[in-house]
Amino acid sequence: MDEDKDAGADKEASRGADKEASRGGGGLGRRELDILALERRGFPGPGAKERAVREELGLAPVRYYQLLNALLDDPRALAHDPVTVNRLRRIRERRRSER
């Protein structure tokens, strides 16, 4: 009986992995991919990025930066977009060392 449960759990885990692989982005969700895409863009002036965060992602800027900070520590994000993630990690470390 337990073997049946284990086999069912394995099949379920396999289906979940297949779903993530088919989404692209190395298992990142749509919101995480959108955050990385937004970070790749340049913004013309003060407030433009925060406005884009609200309008395009529907997030408050504070929440956006919380999610972004967590995303920078996610190996899936690094695998998906190493240039952006490493650039943002360098900025974050420089700011932390200035405190």
Side-chain angles (χ1 to χ4, degrees):
M1 186 87 165
D2 286 334
E3 290 175 14
D4 291 338
K5 283 183 184 178
D6 290 342
D10 289 343
K11 285 181 186 177
E12 196 61 36
S14 171
R15 272 188 248 146
D18 291 343
K19 271 186 194 176
E20 284 194 20
S22 69
R23 281 194 312 204
L28 294 173
R30 174 87 263 148
R31 181 166 54 180
E32 288 88 0
L33 294 173
D34 290 344
I35 289 171
L36 289 174
L38 192 74
E39 283 299 321
R40 280 191 299 269
R41 292 171 32 194
F43 294 93
K49 183 175 183 179
E50 285 73 15
R51 191 167 38 256
V53 166
R54 282 193 169 105
E55 292 173 0
E56 296 174 23
L57 302 178
L59 294 171
V62 170
R63 182 64 180 144
Y64 170 81
Y65 287 111
Q66 289 171 340
L67 293 170
L68 175 62
N69 200 35
L71 193 55
L72 295 181
D73 296 325
D74 190 330
R76 297 171 304 164
L78 182 62
H80 175 72
D81 192 348
V83 173
T84 301
V85 171
N86 282 325
R87 176 179 58 83
L88 294 169
R89 283 179 174 180
R90 283 191 304 272
I91 293 168
R92 180 177 69 177
E93 288 307 311
R94 186 174 60 237
R95 288 180 180 162
R96 282 182 179 171
S97 69
E98 290 173 356
R99 292 184 196 168

